[in-house]
Amino acid sequence: VQVVESGGGLVQAGGSLRLSCAFSGTVASINAIGWFRQAPGAQRELVARFGRAGKIDYADSVKGRFTISRDNGKNTVYLQMNSLKPEDTAVYYCNINAVVITTSAYEADYWGQGTQVTVSS
């Protein structure tokens, strides 16, 4: 599975960006797909994701400002980020948690290379 993010950049506080995550490859099923971020010196944290049965989770810090969406026909997941704040500055990663079947079935996590989002004050 290949995962490629795009759409990061430099934006002023209050601005907007839309991130895209395009993925390809074959898996048996996808358990969850979404976005994480990692700021300098901090742990990677969940931003937003589609979980099992279509459940959507958002970090409290982004609720009401960020929206995750997907285009199944294009195998793409988006993150619309509005009202950006300097504390949103981080590398944003797309993650897919999937079931893979080879000689047996197992869960695997796939990550993109990350895209930098910088919000200036």
Side-chain angles (χ1 to χ4, degrees), residues 25-45:
T26 302
V27 297
S29 62
I30 293 177
N31 294 325
I33 182 168
W35 294 92
F36 288 71
R37 68 186 180 187
Q38 188 166 18
Q43 290 188 332
R44 193 171 295 189
E45 63 175 1

Side-chain angles (χ1 to χ4, degrees), residues 30-34 46 48-59 63 68 70:
I30 293 177
N31 294 325
I33 182 168
L46 173 69
R49 71 179 167 192
F50 291 100
R52 298 174 192 267
K55 182 175 182 290
I56 299 177
D57 295 313
Y58 288 100
K63 285 180 181 176
I68 189 171
R70 64 194 299 177

Side-chain angles (χ1 to χ4, degrees), residues 16-99:
S16 298
L17 283 173
R18 189 174 84 151
L19 305 183
S20 298
C21 168
F23 59 94
S24 61
T26 302
V27 297
S29 62
I30 293 177
N31 294 325
I33 182 168
W35 294 92
F36 288 71
R37 68 186 180 187
Q38 188 166 18
Q43 290 188 332
R44 193 171 295 189
E45 63 175 1
L46 173 69
V47 177
R49 71 179 167 192
F50 291 100
R52 298 174 192 267
K55 182 175 182 290
I56 299 177
D57 295 313
Y58 288 100
D60 288 342
S61 59
V62 307
K63 285 180 181 176
R65 300 187 298 122
F66 291 11
T67 302
I68 189 171
S69 62
R70 64 194 299 177
D71 184 333
N72 291 329
K74 295 183 178 179
N75 282 353
T76 302
V77 175
Y78 304 97
L79 184 68
Q80 178 66 44
M81 305 186 294
N82 298 328
S83 302
L84 282 161
K85 304 175 181 180
E87 51 263 44
D88 294 317
T89 295
V91 178
Y92 284 69
Y93 297 92
C94 183
N95 168 261
I96 300 173
N97 179 266
V99 174

